[in-house]
Amino acid sequence: MQNLYDPGARGHGAVLEHTARRGIAFVPFFPVATGGHAGPAGPVAEVAREAGATPSQTAPAWLLRRAPHVLPVPGTSSEHHLRENPGALDVRLTDEQFARLSAAPAS
């Protein structure tokens, strides 16, 4: 199942839960965060600074921690982002950071 889903766009949470119960992969596209979440003062950027990562790495890291059946697709046409995006696999969010991103109001 493929839907828009990231820390700022969580409108498909019910679909994410449905796919989890049935063992279906959930593939969020554009997982790098949207709206105010993506800005320099937004929650993703704040957690990214704390984690020593970029926002483009932190939002997919949140998704990867969100559920084991989530497979983010950070598409890009930028060579820089192509090198940066896999760093999401190395971002370790604390319980508090994960909770803060999960509780931030969706855009």
Side-chain angles (χ1 to χ4, degrees):
M1 177 62 55
Q2 185 178 30
N3 289 83
L4 174 64
Y5 195 79
D6 63 49
R10 298 187 304 263
H12 295 286
V15 175
L16 186 142
E17 298 304 326
H18 178 83
T19 56
R21 288 190 300 273
R22 286 163 179 74
I24 300 168
F26 185 86
V27 183
F29 62 87
F30 199 67
V32 297
T34 57
H37 286 72
V44 173
E46 182 179 297
V47 170
R49 283 189 295 273
E50 295 169 6
T54 68
S56 295
Q57 294 168 330
T58 302
W62 176 82
L63 286 164
L64 291 167
R65 182 166 171 181
R66 174 74 173 78
H69 74 295
V70 174
L71 307 167
V73 178
T76 186
S77 59
S78 161
E79 186 176 330
H80 170 76
H81 290 147
L82 181 62
R83 288 191 303 273
E84 178 184 21
N85 290 341
L89 297 170
D90 298 323
V91 177
R92 300 291 176 251
L93 301 175
T94 66
D95 291 342
E96 188 274 331
Q97 290 167 331
F98 178 78
R100 200 170 358 134
L101 290 177
S102 298
S107 302

